[in-house]
Amino acid sequence: MLKQVTTLKGLEKKFDTLVYAAPENLFKKKLHTKVLPNAKWDLVDHALKSSTAGSKGTIINTWTGETTPSTFSVIMLPEKVSHYNSPARREQLYSQLTAIKTNKSKNIGIVISIDDPDMQLAVSCAVQRYTCYINRKVMAKEKTQVHLLVTDSEGSVLKMSDSIQSILDAMVLSIDIVNAPPSDLGPDAYAKLIRKTFEKRKHTSLTEIKGEELLKSNLSGIYNVGRGSNEKPRLIVVDYKPSSFKKTVVLVGKGLTYDTGGLSLKTDGNLVGMKMDLGGSAAVVGALDAIIKQEPKVRVIAALGVVENMIGPNSYKVDDIITMHSGKTVEINNTDAEGRVVLADCLSFTARKYNPDYIVDAATLTGAQMIATGRYFAGLMSNDAELESIMVNVGKKTGDLMCALPFAPEYFEDELMSELADMKNSAKDRFNAPSSAAAQFLFNHISDLDTPWAHIDMAGQAMCAKNIATGYGVALLAELVQSL
Ligand SMILES: [Zn+2]
């Protein structure tokens, strides 16, 4: 659906809809007339002169009276953004792209000029997300083709690398996983999809531990959360092991294919959109798909906790005490805080078995993340300051933004105090950074190991406010592996 274009020649006459986007500073340099000299700039000139990009960017849609293109849209992106944002202004670009008046065109050409060549990946991700967005209708017979070309600030074409292409392809995989209806992608179907994606890949092996077998591997956390479902819970480990490597990175993904909350049932309104509770695992699946194509000399192990949190006679209960993989005991005080129980087992299992140099988990973990860092920044918690800083920077490079939240056992351990077990699974004071307390819970299960670890809470990022998947995390995790 998204194709790259390699030459600017003749682009002005090639598509039903033609779009040009650049930051305001490049418009001031008149780069647009150099990049697309034969476009109908006279139609937008007046609007361009009288508009400013502001902080969100602006779009000018014009009708040309011709057929190719019938619409010519010009997007001016903000000249400056805050230091928390990506210099790619990825979110601003995506948001303006969704305002293109496509007039049902089936053939859109998008040309983007960027002022920092390192931002090619991030703007390409914005266009891929847009492409998935306009093709989101399940029953659509005809798909809209989007063609992309990116230039630097001098107007020279930037070729799309294989690495960027691999990430864009993987975003589609990840978005499809999150958008899939929960009855179409329960644990059985999801496991099948994962096997299909990774079996027969170069240097890659896959192990699946499911149902009662989980107990034999001491993975009681995963087992208990999933035992109320008709479909068996499982831990799927995909191991990309190149013939030589210096580092091992583990990526853990929360794959709750549906989260009813269990016996601590989510009430009606809160169930809407809970199919996205596999968003962390979808990011990891996508990232690994891209990584394997890139063939880095890093061993990358993906651990996916694929589980459905349902209500039934076999459901795990509030007041249950579970002995986790780490050997620590957990008193359940909320069956809706299930993701951390699943993840803790995934973390403990892989950290002990593979002794990685880094372990990173991605999860739609807490509603509190959206209060703390909002819709545009995932929450990042880490026991390692250097890893945290690398990740924040990779977030800016890819546009998958993150903001660090406190990791401080001295302040959050007490939140999980239990009289009967080593800890409870849900924090007692909801005004004491519940996202950090959830991270504390995870850390408790690997605290004896000293492994640099980071936890991405992407509860507000897996889907946008309209309940449509975003592909968040694919570019982030794939690039992170290259940066460690
Ligand atoms: Zn839950």
Side-chain angles (χ1 to χ4, degrees):
M1 287 183 298
L2 175 61
K3 276 192 178 161
Q4 65 159 305
V5 187
T6 48
T7 169
L8 283 162
K9 225 171 160 188
L11 286 194
E12 294 93 337
K13 285 270 167 210
K14 223 170 175 175
F15 309 106
D16 310 339
T17 296
L18 177 66
V19 183
Y20 178 73
E24 192 167 359
N25 39 313
L26 296 185
F27 278 99
K28 287 179 186 160
K29 280 174 57 185
K30 301 274 178 215
L31 182 69
H32 53 295
T33 53
K34 184 178 167 191
V35 171
L36 294 171
N38 300 316
K40 298 218 163 204
W41 293 111
D42 52 319
L43 295 175
V44 295
D45 244 7
H46 182 71
L48 265 178
K49 275 183 195 136
S50 52
S51 317
T52 54
S55 62
K56 296 182 186 69
T58 189
I59 183 164
I60 303 156
N61 285 301
T62 56
W63 285 261
T64 62
E66 293 174 8
T67 47
T68 48
S70 65
T71 316
F72 177 39
S73 299
V74 179
I75 293 171
M76 202 181 344
L77 294 167
E79 191 161 339
K80 281 193 187 126
V81 287
S82 63
H83 73 274
Y84 280 87
N85 200 347
S86 160
R89 306 122 167 122
R90 174 174 157 181
E91 193 63 33
Q92 287 70 20
L93 172 62
Y94 171 75
S95 151
Q96 294 302 337
L97 287 171
T98 61
I100 299 169
K101 302 279 186 234
T102 56
N103 284 344
K104 297 188 179 160
S105 87
K106 292 291 164 210
N107 203 8
I108 303 176
I110 301 178
V111 179
I112 304 175
S113 296
I114 53 179
D115 44 6
D116 176 351
D118 281 347
M119 293 302 133
Q120 188 185 3
L121 168 62
V123 296
S124 304
C125 288
V127 175
Q128 183 62 292
R129 184 180 163 198
Y130 169 70
T131 307
C132 292
Y133 170 75
I134 53 172
N135 287 301
R136 70 195 178 281
K137 294 276 187 194
V138 178
M139 299 303 282
K141 287 192 186 77
E142 236 185 301
K143 297 286 184 189
T144 301
Q145 193 81 57
V146 177
H147 304 260
L148 171 66
L149 183 147
V150 181
T151 85
D152 66 11
S153 58
E154 300 301 319
S156 303
V157 176
L158 295 171
K159 195 182 168 291
M160 191 186 285
S161 64
D162 291 345
S163 153
I164 294 181
Q165 186 67 59
S166 70
I167 290 170
L168 297 185
D169 292 343
M171 271 181 80
V172 178
L173 170 67
S174 177
I175 284 174
D176 285 348
I177 290 171
V178 177
N179 276 341
S183 293
D184 292 356
L185 202 70
D188 291 344
Y190 193 20
K192 196 172 159 190
L193 184 152
I194 294 166
R195 284 196 301 269
K196 203 176 142 211
T197 306
F198 295 113
E199 269 175 3
K200 299 179 191 156
R201 298 286 289 269
K202 229 174 165 182
H203 307 300
T204 305
S205 59
L206 187 146
T207 329
E208 188 175 349
I209 307 171
K210 66 177 179 179
E212 307 282 325
E213 293 163 18
L214 289 163
L215 296 175
K216 285 185 211 148
S217 300
N218 299 319
L219 295 161
S220 298
I222 301 174
Y223 174 81
N224 274 289
V225 171
R227 70 186 163 96
S229 167
N230 283 335
E231 298 188 25
K232 286 178 179 167
R234 53 202 99 198
L235 170 65
I236 302 173
V237 179
V238 189
D239 183 357
Y240 164 74
K241 191 178 178 188
S243 33
S244 72
F245 59 90
K246 289 209 174 83
K247 279 181 183 155
T248 300
V249 179
V250 168
L251 302 175
V252 173
K254 171 182 170 184
L256 264 287
T257 62
Y258 200 64
D259 179 18
T260 63
L263 293 175
S264 310
L265 178 66
K266 289 179 193 288
T267 47
D268 184 44
N270 291 328
L271 278 171
V272 175
M274 285 323 293
K275 64 175 184 178
M276 65 87 193
D277 220 11
L278 45 52
S281 67
V284 171
V285 166
L288 189 66
D289 179 61
I291 289 163
I292 295 172
K293 284 184 194 157
Q294 295 168 5
E295 298 188 48
K297 297 231 171 292
V298 182
R299 185 182 187 187
V300 184
I301 294 147
L304 310 156
V306 174
V307 184
E308 190 179 46
N309 187 15
M310 296 296 279
I311 294 187
N314 290 326
S315 296
Y316 81 132
K317 301 173 186 71
V318 169
D319 296 340
D320 275 350
I321 293 177
I322 299 171
T323 303
M324 303 283 290
H325 183 271
S326 62
K328 291 187 177 161
T329 53
V330 173
E331 180 185 3
I332 301 296
N333 58 340
N334 183 350
T335 61
D336 195 10
E338 82 298 331
R340 63 195 69 179
V341 178
V342 171
L343 280 179
D345 266 3
C346 296
L347 287 166
S348 172
F349 179 87
T350 46
R352 283 168 224 285
K353 182 163 178 186
Y354 300 101
N355 192 25
D357 298 286
Y358 299 96
I359 185 162
V360 175
D361 74 77
T364 50
L365 208 66
T366 65
Q369 176 270 309
M370 287 175 272
I371 309 287
T373 56
R375 290 201 182 277
Y376 302 110
F377 297 86
L380 173 65
M381 286 139 274
S382 179
N383 64 344
D384 188 283
E386 198 190 335
L387 177 61
E388 179 185 287
S389 145
I390 291 171
M391 289 181 70
V392 168
N393 285 328
V394 173
K396 287 180 189 169
K397 188 185 170 198
T398 57
D400 284 340
L401 298 172
M402 283 180 298
C403 185
L405 288 173
F407 166 80
E410 57 274 36
Y411 290 122
F412 301 117
E413 252 166 2
D414 286 356
E415 286 299 324
L416 302 163
M417 283 264 275
S418 163
E419 294 295 333
L420 299 171
D422 291 325
M423 71 198 92
K424 288 182 177 172
N425 71 324
S426 183
K428 60 178 187 236
D429 181 358
R430 70 191 178 94
F431 294 116
N432 189 22
S435 303
S436 289
Q440 181 63 46
F441 178 90
L442 299 178
F443 181 71
N444 285 348
H445 297 273
I446 50 168
S447 56
D448 53 320
L449 297 177
D450 232 16
T451 312
W453 155 79
H455 159 60
I456 303 165
D457 192 338
M458 48 179 278
Q461 284 66 49
M463 288 203 305
C464 68
K466 289 180 183 168
N467 278 353
I468 303 164
T470 60
Y472 181 93
V474 174
L476 173 76
L477 295 173
E479 280 295 297
L480 176 65
V481 164
Q482 304 279 11
S483 310
L484 291 173

